[in-house]
Amino acid sequence: MFPTFRAATCHASPHFLSATKTTQKAISLINTASRTGFAHLLAFPESFIPAFPHWSALLPPTQTHHLFQCMVSESLYFDGAEILAIRHAAAQAKMVVSLGFSEKVRYSSATLFNSNLVIGSEGEVLVHHRKLVPTFFEKLTWSSGDGFGLRVAETGVGRLGALVCGENTNPLARYALMAQGEQVHISTWPAIWPTRLVQGDGAPSASTKDRASSASKTGSVHGSEAKVPAKKASYDNVAANRTRAAAHCFEAKCFGILCSGYLSDSNISDLISESGNLDSAAIETVKNSSRGASMFLDPTGAVHPAFTVDPVSGKKEEKDMLQAEEGILYADLDLNDCVEGKQYHDVVGGYQRLDVFDLKVDRRRREPATFVNANAVEDRGVEG
C-alpha cells in the first residue's frame, strides 16, 4: 500500500563560516549517499550552511559583531547560486533532500532566518520553512519566521515534514504537520547546545557552581530575591532531542529522522580562533558539552535499526546512532508501519474531537511592508 525506501541522515560538520566550501561538501555527501548508500532521501543538520552560531552562547553580543558580520556574509539567498547547485545535485541523484541553512533576504542587509528546504527528486523546492521562533541565544542571530513553511511535502517516498530544533517542542507546529498526513518527520539539531558553562566531566563549571551556590545561600541574584539550586546538570542533547522526536513519532504514528550537526576538531579550533575572546571556561564548554546524535525512530518512538556503509568496501555496519563520529547513517523505512498505531489513537482523525478543538494556521509569507500603487495593484517591493 505504501512504499519502503532508504533514508539517510548526515551527521556532518560544516566548513566553518564558508558557504562555498560547505555547499561543495553537501553536494559530495548527496553523491555519496546516492552512489554508496543507495538512499532515496537525505537530511542535513540545522544551519548546516554556513555554520551554527555557537558563539552567541559563549560571548556577550558586544564581543560578537565580527562573527555576526561573517554570518550575514556567508548566509544564503533562497534563490542563490549555492541553493541552485544543491537542487541540481538532488535532481542528478534523483533524491529528496532536506537542507538546513542560514538564510538572508534582499529587503534587508542583515535580517537572517534559520531556514530549512525540502527539495524534491527533480530539484524542485517543495517546502521553504523559516523557523517560527529562534531559541534562547539564537535570537542574537536569527529573526522569527512565519507559517508559510508549515507544509508536508508529497514525495515519491511518502509525506515528508520537517521542523527545526526547538520547534519540535511546539505542539501546535507539530500538530499542523500531523494534520496533513505526515508519514516521515525530520527534526534538525545543532552539534551542541550550551545552556551553562561546563567542565571536563560535563558537569557545571566551577564558576557556574559558585554563582549558583552563592545565590542559593543568599537568595539573591544581582540584587533580586530568588531561590537557585546550587548545582544543575548540563543540557543532555541526546535525551532532550530524542524525547521530543519520539513523542512526535508516537503521536503522529510516523517515522522520525533526527539529524544533528557534528562539531569537528577543526570546527572547534576555528570557533575558538574566530571568537578571539573565549575564556578558559567557554573553551571547556565547547569541548565538553553534550554532543547531539543522529538516529531513526519508528512510529512507536523506539529507535529504528540503522547502519553505516563503508564508502570504499560498501560493507554495512549496524549502528543505533551517530554521535562521536562524522558520517552518514542509513535506515530502510516501511511506511506501512505507520498504519497500525492509527487504530489506537489517530489524533487528527478518529481520536480527535474536531467539534471541540479548531486549529487555525496562517501560512502567509510575511514581508516588511505592502505597497499599493495608484492602480491598486499590490507591490511587495524587493522579493525576500
Side-chain angles (χ1 to χ4, degrees), residues 239-262:
N241 298 351
R242 181 182 165 185
T243 296
R244 288 175 279 185
H248 184 79
C249 290
F250 187 85
E251 293 167 5
K253 312 307 178 191
C254 71
F255 283 97
I257 302 175
L258 285 77
C259 187
S260 296
Y262 177 76

Side-chain angles (χ1 to χ4, degrees), residues 175 342-354:
Y175 185 83
K342 293 281 188 177
Q343 296 179 89
Y344 316 137
H345 14 67
D346 183 351
V347 297
V348 297
Y351 203 67
Q352 189 54 272
R353 286 292 302 276
L354 301 178

